[in-house]
Amino acid sequence: MVKSTAKDAQDLIRTLWSAYSATPTNLKIIDHYVVFAVFTALIQVVYMALVGTFPFNSFLSGVLSCVGTAVLAVCLRIQVNKENKEFKDIAPERAFADFVLCNVVLHLVIMNFLG
Amino acid sequence: MAKLIIFLFLTLIPILCNSFTPDKPSDRRILVLLDDFAIKSSHSLYFKSLQSRGFDLDFKLADDPKIALQRYGQYLYDALVLFSPTIERFGGSIDAAAILAFVDSGHDLIVAAGSNASDLIREIATECGVDFDEDYGAVVVDHAGYAVSATEGDHTLIASDDFIKSDVILGSKKIEAPVLFQGIAHSLNPSNSLVLKVLSASPTAFSANPKSKLTSPPSLLGSSISLVSVIQARNNARILISGSLSMFSNRFFNSGVQKAGSPTKHDKSGNEQFLTEVSKWVFHERGHLKAVNVQHHKVGETNEPSIYRINDDLEYSVEIYEWSGTTWEPYVADDVQVQFYMMSPYVLKTLSNDNKGRYFTSFKVPDVYGVFQFKVEYDRLGYTSLSLAKQIPVRPFKHNEYERFIPAAYPYYGAAFSMMAGFFVFSAVHLYNK
């Protein structure tokens, strides 16, 4: 039983990886960008756990910038993905313009809150 | 002509007023109440020592109906000497309550009792904190510390050298000869911090009636018997209470003394030196301090700010002087402390002095904001108590007084800027990607 579950897990990962390799390159770039943002957020949380919450506003600002960036990137990926039938009518340029605008607002807020 | 006389009179009045003022704390006018005028001549050496130091002594009989301590609300005298142990009722407007009000208003008092002390004198002493022996016939007897005399006495004349250790009260010169004493004993309440035993009896003394046989152990024994005590009240009035009037007399001043059991025979007893020095202390010629000119400012500035900020460096200084009898001399000590106090002292520092009476220190304001006080509480044996308090608020940092970039937050700054850079790079890649 154990051997079969281990083999099942390995098969699962292999299928996942081959399916993922089929995604288009631009979506993969967005995925890398999201991973970068989440990783930076994790580093900040670990640093805060070590040093303490002073100054808390800077910590929140840093984490929020990472999380907000990740969220906006995911939204862009959803809208740009051709296989997504919900957003078929939205041109990818429109999606990108939304993405840029939201990021500008996000970074404005972050700079203000950073202290 | 009349106008000239009035003018001269008005200009001379300030010169004629030279009584006790805070600028010159020594007493000037002393009322001396006596049982009879024989005391004036039999105790003339003591009175002459007072008069030679500039005091105006006013001798009156204790039952003289015209004596008064105050008239129209103003006190006529600066100090009172009661050499009338047998008086039952004072004349004039003086009574126990008037005497205590006199002391409460800051004036000094000397009371001498004796074996014939009346109820009134005992009551005044009790109000001052000193309890005479309740047994009316009891005197101090010491079979091992009596003064050796030619005649075989009943050992009620004793020689005592158990002085309080205080240069302020007794002067810097050591009293070599013992002091002769013949009178009644008193005791002090040990919980009373204002009374001091200046002359104690030796451990072999006790208080009893020498004419009758002792039926039970005496209530006052040994060193707890005080022969001469002083009290310094909280308003710095000083009171001297002695159980013997004869210790002030010329006879005791001039007589030689030899304490039983000691081989040395002194030609002159220590009475004159002892009583002169203690009188100097009682009449504020020694040990009277004043603290003036409290200053505080930030380090580097000279003006006094109305508010400090936390973590400021500040300097505090005060000047303390001691009255020498004629002038204010700088007071030199190394145990004056200042507290920076708000409910409890956040900072307690010993002030350093420049030997000219100026005490100063500097410290950093603590990291707590609120309304603080600079407090100096100085209470030493024999000196007047100093109690200064100056209030000063302390504020926290203003919004723009914090450091601009907090080093602990550099990773967060870095993360935010790296997100911005990443955004730029990503959008470039996303736009120009095939």
Side-chain angles (χ1 to χ4, degrees), chain B residues 304-426:
Chain B
E304 193 176 288
S306 57
I307 188 169
Y308 282 111
R309 198 203 66 196
I310 58 175
N311 295 342
D312 265 347
D313 290 307
L314 60 79
E315 281 178 359
Y316 176 85
S317 73
V318 63
E319 289 173 17
I320 304 182
Y321 296 102
E322 185 183 351
W323 180 246
S324 69
T326 44
T327 54
W328 289 104
E329 302 288 320
Y331 175 67
V332 177
D334 55 2
D335 57 356
V336 186
Q337 290 182 318
V338 66
Q339 304 174 3
F340 200 54
Y341 176 93
M342 174 168 74
M343 310 291 271
S344 68
Y346 283 82
V347 176
L348 180 66
K349 289 214 93 170
T350 307
L351 297 168
S352 35
N353 69 331
D354 63 352
N355 283 336
K356 292 216 199 56
R358 183 167 171 271
Y359 290 80
F360 54 91
T361 187
S362 66
F363 55 88
K364 203 179 177 61
V365 174
D367 198 4
V368 180
Y369 59 90
V371 178
F372 283 86
Q373 287 176 322
F374 288 109
K375 269 181 130 169
V376 174
E377 304 272 343
Y378 192 68
D379 211 353
R380 296 284 174 271
L381 193 144
Y383 288 101
T384 55
S385 51
L386 292 178
S387 188
L388 311 166
K390 196 151 189 183
Q391 209 173 53
I392 186 81
V394 170
R395 67 166 173 86
F397 281 127
K398 282 202 187 106
H399 194 65
N400 57 357
E401 282 172 351
Y402 288 102
E403 23 187 43
R404 184 65 188 89
F405 298 112
I406 302 174
Y410 281 173
Y412 308 126
Y413 302 156
F417 284 113
S418 80
M419 282 296 120
M420 281 167 69
F423 161 67
F424 277 120
V425 168
F426 165 76

Side-chain angles (χ1 to χ4, degrees), chain A residues 26 29-30 33 36-37 40 44 47-48 54-55 58-59 62 65-66 69 76 80 96 99-100 103 107 110-111 114-115, chain B residues 403-413 415-424 426-431 433-434:
Chain A
N26 60 341
I29 292 173
I30 299 183
Y33 184 52
F36 158 66
T40 317
Q44 285 177 89
Y47 175 76
M48 184 218 79
F54 181 78
S58 306
F59 163 68
S65 78
C66 300
T69 309
L76 179 67
V80 161
F96 183 70
F99 171 74
V100 167
N103 260 309
H107 283 106
I110 294 305
M111 281 299 112
L114 204 52
Chain B
E403 23 187 43
R404 184 65 188 89
F405 298 112
I406 302 174
Y410 281 173
Y412 308 126
Y413 302 156
F417 284 113
S418 80
M419 282 296 120
M420 281 167 69
F423 161 67
F424 277 120
F426 165 76
S427 28
V429 167
H430 185 264
L431 282 176
N433 180 42
K434 291 293 170 289

